[in-house]
Each structure stands twice: as C-alpha cells, then as structure tokens.
Amino acid sequence: MKKIDKTILRETYFIGAWVLILSALMQSVFLIIGKWDYTVLLGNLLSAMCGILNFLFLGMTVQRAIASKDEKYVKNLMRLSQALRLLLVLCVAVLGATIPIFNLWATLIPLFFTRIAITIRPFFNNKMGTEANMNLSAIADEGKEEEDEQS
C-alpha cells in the first residue's frame, strides 16, 4: 500500500479540526436549548467520523488517480470512490435515523461540517492554490517514478 501524502494528511487534519470546532458548537447549542443528552454526542461522533473519513478517502483516491496514466482507470476509480463514499454517508444517515441511540439531527447536521471546512479553507491560507498545485505536481512526479521503477 502506498504511503498517504503529507498534503492529504495536513488537509485532513485541518478538516478534522474544523469538524471538532463545529461539533463543539453544535453540542453547545443543544445544551443551551435544553435538548442535550448522550444521543446527541453519539450522533455527532458518528457523523463527524464519517465526514473526516470521507474526506480522507477522497484525498487517497485523488492521490492514486494522479499517479496513474490510464485515463479510463482514473475515471472508473473516481466513479467507484464517489459511489462508495456516498454509500458510506447514506449508511450513516440511515443508522442515525433508525437506531435510537443516535439523535437524528445530531447525526445529520455534522455531515455538512466537512463541506463548511472545505469552503472556509482558502481564508486561512492565501498561498493555498500555489502550494496545492506544487504538492499535486510532487505527487504526480512520485507516481511517475514508481511506474518507471516497475517497468
């Protein structure tokens, strides 16, 4: 198995930090309105883990796609990844809706936290576009080197 790129890990940590911040904010809101119980915490943990893993799996798929030269393989890989990640999110939503140990709203709301974190990411790093392009180029170069070694 190929090592996960540092850029993917760094961005996943960023997403994880924001999911944690937004989760704490949501827990506070439930506490303030008097609706907090252990089901809120469990639903939040389930969805937060799902969101972070979903982002990590996306990054790992992109890393594999960049390293490949076969366009058909890349297209199929991305489609399969998207379908499986969507299935993961759907399963989490269904679990949150059907199993009583999870609060429905505390399970569904955190599924959007990753998207919020992705949206605000550019505000925290003005050079993100340049760095991301450089890092993606480095990932692609590593993939080419590995393919050359295998041939």
Side-chain angles (χ1 to χ4, degrees):
M1 186 167 157
K2 191 173 178 181
K3 185 177 175 184
I4 300 173
D5 187 72
K6 290 183 278 187
T7 303
I8 294 168
L9 291 176
R10 184 181 67 236
E11 295 304 316
T12 303
Y13 291 143
F14 178 86
I15 297 297
W18 275 100
V19 167
L20 181 65
I21 291 167
L22 293 170
S23 292
L25 181 64
M26 185 185 75
Q27 294 288 319
S28 300
V29 169
F30 271 93
L31 193 61
I32 290 169
I33 63 173
K35 299 290 185 181
W36 192 92
D37 61 5
Y38 76 97
T39 64
V40 173
L41 179 62
L42 293 177
N44 193 353
L45 288 173
L46 177 69
S47 292
M49 291 293 292
C50 173
I52 295 168
L53 285 174
N54 187 12
F55 184 82
L56 178 63
F57 293 155
L58 173 63
M60 291 168 51
T61 303
V62 169
Q63 179 179 346
R64 284 183 59 192
I66 289 173
S68 177
K69 292 181 182 178
D70 184 10
E71 189 175 324
K72 185 176 181 184
Y73 169 75
V74 169
K75 189 174 185 178
N76 289 335
L77 177 67
M78 294 306 290
R79 281 185 179 169
L80 177 64
S81 172
Q82 184 180 16
L84 292 176
R85 290 182 296 106
L86 184 60
L87 184 63
L88 171 69
V89 172
L90 179 64
C91 288
V92 166
V94 169
L95 282 173
T98 57
I99 300 177
I101 64 167
F102 301 114
N103 179 290
L104 175 64
W105 293 109
T107 304
L108 296 179
I109 294 171
L111 292 174
F112 296 100
F113 290 169
T114 302
R115 187 71 193 131
I116 294 168
I118 292 168
T119 302
I120 64 173
R121 179 65 174 124
F123 297 115
F124 289 92
N125 189 355
N126 293 336
K127 298 183 292 185
M128 184 183 146
T130 307
E131 287 180 17
N133 287 336
M134 289 174 22
N135 289 326
L136 289 177
S137 297
I139 293 170
D141 292 341
E142 287 174 15
K144 288 177 188 171
E145 290 172 5
E146 287 179 6
E147 286 179 6
D148 292 340
E149 290 172 4
Q150 292 174 355
S151 348

